[in-house]
Amino acid sequence: MSESPILLTPGPLTTSIETRRAMLRDWGSRDPAFIALTAELRARLLAVARGEGTHVAVPLQGSGTFIVEAAIATLIGPTDKLLVLINGAYGERMVTIGKRMGRAVEAIRWAEDRPVEPARVAEALRADPSITHVALVHCETTTGILNPLEDVAAIVAGAGRALLLDAMSSFGALPIDLSTTPVTAVLASSNKCLEGVPGLGFALVEPPALERAKGVSPSLSFDLHAQWKGFEADGQWRFTPPVQVVAALVEALRLLETEGGPKARHARYSDNFRTLLAGMRRLGFELFLDEAVQAPIIATFHLPADRGLAFRPFYEALAARGFLIYPGKLTQAETFRIGCIGALDRHDFERLLEAVAETVRVLEAA
Ligand SMILES: Cc1ncc(COP(=O)(O)O)c(C=O)c1O
């Protein structure tokens, strides 16, 4: 078996050997040992965001989109209206999901390089009393932009509405404190800042919101109320759980605690980002976002077409050196992305920068 490449992507990403090793055993999904593992998973997920006193953790099989779809299907009722705050592809996806579920959906849009403006949210909520829920993407992975969670949460709660937070690419690294920040439901997945393997999403939800949602979801599988009641009844999953993914995520959560929690992880990712940015600038690459609004999660760089660099050959040359980068996802500019997350530190980024320098020399000489 060849060695794993270094994944500079927003997930699946590079995981630690301990996390991968945790997948080497079989588990009976209805056995007490796995029921205990599931209980540990749910407790640890809550603890990451200090939600023990206010929320419950509801894991769900599938990718991140599955948990977003389940949350919208379950928590937005047929007489509710969802306002989605959009500055990238994942906000747009929530509108698509809401419409597919037959729900009333409105949106406010910003340019991809502009953060959500809380004042415009306040204005929209004042203007339309029929809006019951607001959805925000914490870190828009499309660009890596950070949206102002605290300010939006205060405005939404102050207006008496519910907030759904897509924290897919922030949970476990960027600060989310449910004991002080009013968020009805936080949605995230196993394979980003928690550094688990893909296959599992989860929601941290206020129990009254789930209680109200009995029978609301038009889908059997994407029903967070039924999924929650299943766990509460006997600690078991309703349908076949991805047992190895659960085992890996519990191990990854233990490692997060050992590292010092989200604060320490944030510091490591910030160091990765700073190392990357300084090196890429030395090599003549420009960051797409203003640094003031950039989260240390994933960095978007312009692809300098005037230097004859195209994404495919650039990607392939780096892949041949063991580094997998990510294409851009912008509607406007030619870009590529480099993730700063995963079981990586600045030494990995220093090696990446040497590979980028070498790649640029070869491609520009061609
Ligand atoms: C902010 C955000 N939301 C939702 C998703 C969707 O997750 P998945 O691709 O696992 O379905 C992603 C994936 O990158 C994301 O970054």
Side-chain angles (χ1 to χ4, degrees):
M1 194 170 67
S2 66
E3 219 183 290
S4 298
I6 301 238
L7 302 181
L8 298 150
T9 59
L13 40 61
T14 296
T15 53
S16 74
I17 186 67
E18 292 89 343
T19 295
R20 278 175 276 153
R21 212 176 267 141
M23 293 188 288
L24 287 179
R25 70 164 273 192
D26 297 319
W27 298 83
S29 65
R30 311 222 177 265
D31 182 72
F34 187 72
I35 292 173
L37 198 68
T38 297
E40 181 176 347
L41 171 70
R42 295 181 65 213
R44 283 187 179 275
L45 290 173
L46 279 180
V48 168
R50 303 193 59 206
E52 297 98 325
T54 48
H55 290 64
V56 290
V58 188
L60 181 75
Q61 301 89 331
S63 86
T65 306
F66 290 38
I67 193 70
V68 175
E69 188 150 350
I72 290 175
T74 307
L75 300 175
I76 315 292
T79 59
D80 292 334
K81 189 195 269 188
L82 174 65
L83 173 68
V84 186
L85 311 176
I86 303 179
N87 54 354
Y90 296 105
E92 292 292 353
R93 191 175 296 175
M94 287 201 270
V95 172
T96 307
I97 292 170
K99 288 186 174 161
R100 285 286 281 268
M101 291 289 159
R103 302 308 189 224
V105 187
E106 297 271 339
I108 311 180
R109 289 182 173 80
W110 288 265
E112 286 162 326
D113 60 352
R114 296 270 162 244
V116 164
E117 296 161 293
R120 276 186 68 193
V121 181
E123 205 180 287
L125 294 180
R126 261 196 308 275
D128 186 351
S130 70
I131 293 168
T132 51
H133 296 72
V134 177
L136 175 72
V137 181
H138 192 190
C139 170
E140 231 320 336
T141 326
T142 308
T143 55
I145 199 168
L146 178 65
N147 281 318
L149 167 61
E150 306 293 328
D151 293 347
V152 171
I155 281 165
V156 173
R161 323 296 171 83
L163 179 64
L164 309 189
L165 181 69
D166 174 347
M168 212 65 66
S169 63
S170 59
F171 192 88
L174 301 184
I176 302 173
D177 186 341
L178 295 175
S179 70
T180 54
T181 309
V183 184
T184 306
V186 179
L187 315 171
S189 70
S190 51
N191 63 279
K192 295 200 193 293
C193 302
L194 294 180
E195 300 184 359
V197 302
L200 195 75
F202 56 88
L204 308 184
V205 197
E206 291 175 333
L210 279 174
E211 290 290 4
R212 272 196 302 276
K214 183 168 187 224
V216 168
S217 176
S219 161
L220 179 73
S221 303
F222 293 159
D223 183 342
L224 288 187
H225 175 271
Q227 186 85 350
W228 172 53
K229 285 294 173 189
F231 290 124
E232 296 295 306
D234 57 10
Q236 298 186 21
W237 296 65
R238 278 190 304 159
F239 311 129
T240 304
V243 289
Q244 280 79 14
V245 177
V246 172
L249 184 54
V250 170
E251 181 59 28
L253 285 160
R254 291 173 188 156
L255 292 173
L256 174 60
E257 186 184 341
T258 308
E259 184 174 357
K263 212 168 162 186
R265 187 147 297 180
H266 184 256
R268 175 162 57 85
Y269 290 170
S270 298
D271 189 47
N272 290 349
F273 172 71
R274 280 192 301 270
T275 307
L276 174 71
L277 181 60
M280 291 298 277
R281 279 186 171 153
R282 273 196 305 276
L283 295 170
F285 289 92
E286 263 179 66
L287 192 65
F288 171 75
L289 289 175
D290 187 331
E291 249 186 281
V293 297
Q294 169 78 58
I297 300 294
I298 187 162
T300 301
F301 291 97
H302 287 283
L303 196 62
D306 55 335
R307 288 165 64 184
L309 287 181
F311 180 73
R312 236 329 106 190
F314 186 56
Y315 176 90
E316 281 165 8
L318 285 173
R321 289 166 172 81
F323 297 97
L324 301 193
I325 63 165
Y326 220 55
K329 202 179 170 72
L330 294 187
T331 45
Q332 304 293 332
E334 274 297 317
T335 55
F336 62 94
R337 289 178 291 172
I338 298 186
C340 306
I341 60 181
L344 301 171
D345 64 20
R346 71 154 67 193
H347 302 294
D348 299 295
F349 284 85
E350 284 160 1
R351 285 175 44 224
L352 165 75
L353 289 164
E354 283 167 24
V356 172
E358 228 175 85
T359 297
V360 168
R361 260 197 309 275
V362 171
L363 293 180
E364 285 187 336

